[in-house]
Amino acid sequence: GAGVSQSPSNKVTEKGKDVELRCDPISGHTALYWYRQSLGQGLEFLIYFQGNSAPDKSGLPSDRFSAERTGGSVSTLTIQRTQQEDSAVYLCASSIPALAGDTGELFFGEGSRLTVL
Amino acid sequence: AQKVTQAQTEISVVEKEDVTLDCVYETRDTTYYLFWYKQPPSGELVFLIRRNSFDEQNEISGRYSWNFQKSTSSFNFTITASQVVDSAVYFCALTEMNTGFQKLVFGTGTRLLVSP
């Protein structure tokens, strides 16, 4: 597709279960980002990928959260032993890294809404 | 640490009114980028503008205009003659210029409701 694709769009799970969220970035975009949007909060940075490597994982809230990216394309965000406070919308974005003259635009997907009961 | 404050949680206006969305930021960096994104009900954020800290010129794009004032650390966004389609949540964001990637720090957003 032309845009960033995320799946599932909605996920309801029970506390303690593991979940996987998928992001398919725009073709050719080497940079990929995960953000979390909680109710009433702004967007919180989670992790950044350049190619397959993750030079910045500083935003991951705990060791229950992990992410990987394979082939410089699709990324998966995994949350183990989910807790109710993990309920949020998880947004993925991709971009061409900022270059001189680049708009620096991030292209966002529509997000995966996670509800932990 | 970087911080972005959008004090207006929600604004309601009637179509054709002008509306200004406030954004105040904090950073110790001397070089940085400021952004505005729009989040319509569908959920995806749409890029509106990026401004670097060296450029304090105001910008106008159609009905949208932005006022960047370094002296007050503000980057306000004005919609002229608002339309129903402008209803969305608007986010202001900040990032360092020299990290090589867009680690954006977002405000909590302002929900704009434009009624007919």
Side-chain angles (χ1 to χ4, degrees):
Chain A
V4 176
S5 178
Q6 292 189 246
S7 61
S9 54
N10 275 288
K11 175 72 175 179
V12 179
T13 190
E14 294 180 349
K15 178 181 174 181
K17 295 285 180 68
D18 298 351
V19 297
E20 285 189 352
L21 307 177
R22 175 189 168 105
C23 173
D24 199 344
I26 293 172
S27 178
H29 281 193
T30 57
L32 186 146
Y33 306 78
W34 284 98
Y35 283 85
R36 177 167 72 172
Q37 184 176 18
S38 303
L39 187 63
Q41 303 292 318
L43 281 78
E44 173 189 13
F45 170 82
L46 298 179
I47 188 169
Y48 157 71
F49 286 93
Q50 176 54 40
N52 289 338
S53 65
D56 192 329
K57 304 179 182 179
S58 63
L60 294 177
S62 76
D63 58 8
R64 297 185 295 104
F65 286 72
S66 63
E68 64 176 16
R69 189 180 186 193
T70 55
S73 181
V74 172
S75 175
T76 302
L77 176 68
T78 300
I79 308 173
Q80 295 178 312
R81 305 181 303 280
T82 52
Q83 304 294 312
Q84 288 183 332
E85 61 263 27
D86 299 334
S87 296
V89 177
Y90 290 82
L91 291 163
C92 177
S94 70
S95 77
I96 300 170
L99 300 171
D102 188 358
T103 63
E105 177 179 357
L106 292 189
F107 294 82
F108 282 84
E110 293 187 355
S112 292
R113 181 177 297 277
L114 174 66
T115 303
V116 182
L117 302 177
Chain B
Q2 298 177 324
K3 182 179 179 182
V4 176
T5 301
Q6 295 180 256
Q8 303 152 309
T9 305
E10 184 169 308
I11 300 175
S12 293
V13 298
V14 177
E15 213 170 15
K16 298 184 183 177
E17 285 186 27
D18 298 347
V19 58
T20 296
L21 309 180
D22 297 333
C23 173
V24 175
Y25 63 91
E26 297 175 28
T27 181
R28 294 179 182 173
D29 301 317
T30 55
T31 56
Y32 49 90
Y33 289 128
L34 294 162
F35 299 79
W36 276 94
Y37 278 84
K38 174 182 180 180
Q39 186 177 40
S42 57
E44 84 282 10
L45 275 82
V46 177
F47 170 85
L48 295 178
I49 191 172
R50 182 183 85 165
R51 176 51 50 90
N52 72 55
S53 53
F54 298 141
D55 183 4
E56 288 195 66
Q57 279 191 341
N58 292 330
E59 182 156 343
I60 298 174
S61 176
R63 296 184 297 106
Y64 295 170
S65 62
W66 290 270
N67 183 315
F68 175 32
Q69 293 198 351
K70 224 170 175 177
S71 60
T72 56
S73 297
S74 65
F75 186 44
N76 296 337
F77 173 32
T78 298
I79 302 175
T80 302
S82 59
Q83 300 176 2
V84 172
V85 293
D86 296 327
S87 297
V89 181
Y90 291 86
F91 289 95
C92 181
L94 166 72
T95 189
E96 296 175 1
M97 189 178 279
N98 59 1
T99 60
F101 71 98
Q102 310 286 21
K103 184 175 180 178
L104 296 173
V105 174
F106 284 86
T108 51
T110 297
R111 181 178 299 277
L112 175 64
L113 300 172
V114 182
S115 54

